Amino acid sequence: MRDFLESTNFDVIFIENGDLQLMRESVSLFVEKLKLSDVGLIYYSGHGIEHKGRNYLLPVNFNVNDEDEIPRQAIDISAVVDRLSKAERKVNIVIIDACRSSFVSANQRSYSQGLHKMDGTRGTILAFSTAPGKVAEDGNGRNSPYTKNLLKAMAVPGRKIEDVFKRVRLKVRLASKGQQIPWESTSLEEDFYFNAKGLTPQDI
């Protein structure tokens, strides 16, 4: 994903196996860079959890004994989306490929499988690897089934972002025999193309 985005002129802030401090610092740097950009994009691949109607992205050092600790030890993606909207970009894109596993034992919290439904603010598209309340597959290769099909769909020249995610939804649904159906919420007001310049798609 990093290689593809850099090939289409995104200024990428890359984090691998980030702890909470690094994730927080990177979010702040990202929001700062938005001041000079027309498009903001967040792509996250990892674990996510829902807590009291809000969705959290989990750092590698996530370790809680009580569910009330979750907001202090994870990244509230809803709050990040709110910061995106305040930056008033023309296009905000948030892609969450999370297997949505709970890292808190069932006897410590009221267990809710999957992430909570989110709605995007103006000019934002939120894309999830599976529907609210459902669990996504990790897959056996370098990328999850969702990201593998997303990269291929993004690389097709002249394909609008909405059509990219439609294609991914079809491919993932068929591959999972209906067990995983990607989902989006959009309030975009502008057209956007990942590959508007006709770059040659490569085998990913």
Side-chain angles (χ1 to χ4, degrees), residues 16 19 22 38 58 65-66 72 82 137 143 175 178:
E16 186 173 17
D19 60 19
L22 179 58
D38 290 328
L58 307 187
N65 295 313
D66 185 275
R72 295 190 296 273
D82 289 342
E137 296 181 9
N143 294 310

Side-chain angles (χ1 to χ4, degrees), residues 145-181:
Y146 177 77
T147 293
K148 179 179 71 175
N149 284 287
L150 177 59
L151 284 168
K152 291 180 178 179
M154 291 164 72
V156 175
R159 180 176 279 175
K160 287 184 181 181
I161 189 171
E162 291 88 352
D163 294 329
V164 166
F165 289 118
K166 287 178 184 177
R167 184 66 175 176
V168 174
R169 180 162 40 253
L170 173 63
K171 289 290 187 178
V172 173
R173 179 181 64 80
L174 293 176
S176 66
K177 298 181 180 179
Q179 295 302 304
Q180 180 178 339
I181 302 177

Side-chain angles (χ1 to χ4, degrees), residues 183-201:
W183 174 86
E184 300 88 46
S185 173
T186 181
S187 60
L188 289 181
E189 298 175 344
E190 304 280 343
D191 289 336
F192 179 80
Y193 305 82
F194 287 105
N195 193 357
K197 296 182 179 180
L199 300 175
T200 302

Side-chain angles (χ1 to χ4, degrees), residues 18-21 23-24 47 49 51 56-76 104:
D19 60 19
L20 181 59
Q21 180 178 350
M23 290 178 70
R24 284 176 171 168
H47 291 286
I49 194 171
H51 174 64
Y56 295 87
L57 309 182
L58 307 187
V60 294
N61 59 338
F62 181 80
N63 182 24
V64 302
N65 295 313
D66 185 275
E67 64 177 305
D68 289 335
E69 298 177 20
I70 292 173
R72 295 190 296 273
Q73 293 204 32
I75 300 297
D76 184 343
V104 185

Side-chain angles (χ1 to χ4, degrees), residues 5-203:
L5 292 175
E6 287 179 342
S7 75
T8 53
N9 297 320
F10 275 94
D11 180 10
V12 176
I13 303 170
F14 177 72
I15 304 173
E16 186 173 17
N17 298 324
D19 60 19
L20 181 59
Q21 180 178 350
L22 179 58
M23 290 178 70
R24 284 176 171 168
E25 291 173 352
S26 298
V27 168
S28 296
L29 176 60
F30 171 77
V31 173
E32 183 67 23
K33 282 180 173 287
L34 283 180
K35 297 176 182 178
L36 303 175
S37 306
D38 290 328
V39 177
L41 185 150
I42 294 174
Y43 167 81
Y44 173 82
S45 178
H47 291 286
I49 194 171
E50 178 273 335
H51 174 64
K52 295 184 178 179
R54 298 184 75 84
N55 296 322
Y56 295 87
L57 309 182
L58 307 187
V60 294
N61 59 338
F62 181 80
N63 182 24
V64 302
N65 295 313
D66 185 275
E67 64 177 305
D68 289 335
E69 298 177 20
I70 292 173
R72 295 190 296 273
Q73 293 204 32
I75 300 297
D76 184 343
I77 189 59
S78 300
V80 175
V81 171
D82 289 342
R83 293 179 71 179
L84 286 181
S85 65
K86 292 178 182 178
E88 297 184 351
R89 299 301 90 200
K90 293 181 179 178
V91 176
N92 295 313
I93 305 163
V94 179
I95 304 171
I96 307 297
D97 184 6
C99 64
R100 292 148 162 84
S101 298
S102 172
F103 276 52
V104 185
S105 61
N107 63 353
Q108 293 174 329
R109 71 179 295 232
S110 55
Y111 183 78
S112 177
Q113 190 176 35
L115 294 183
H116 190 72
K117 182 180 182 298
M118 290 176 60
D119 293 316
T121 55
R122 181 176 61 85
T124 301
I125 184 166
L126 304 172
F128 295 86
S129 56
T130 193
K134 301 295 182 180
V135 175
E137 296 181 9
D138 284 330
N140 299 317
R142 178 181 180 183
N143 294 310
S144 70
Y146 177 77
T147 293
K148 179 179 71 175
N149 284 287
L150 177 59
L151 284 168
K152 291 180 178 179
M154 291 164 72
V156 175
R159 180 176 279 175
K160 287 184 181 181
I161 189 171
E162 291 88 352
D163 294 329
V164 166
F165 289 118
K166 287 178 184 177
R167 184 66 175 176
V168 174
R169 180 162 40 253
L170 173 63
K171 289 290 187 178
V172 173
R173 179 181 64 80
L174 293 176
S176 66
K177 298 181 180 179
Q179 295 302 304
Q180 180 178 339
I181 302 177
W183 174 86
E184 300 88 46
S185 173
T186 181
S187 60
L188 289 181
E189 298 175 344
E190 304 280 343
D191 289 336
F192 179 80
Y193 305 82
F194 287 105
N195 193 357
K197 296 182 179 180
L199 300 175
T200 302
Q202 299 177 351
D203 293 331

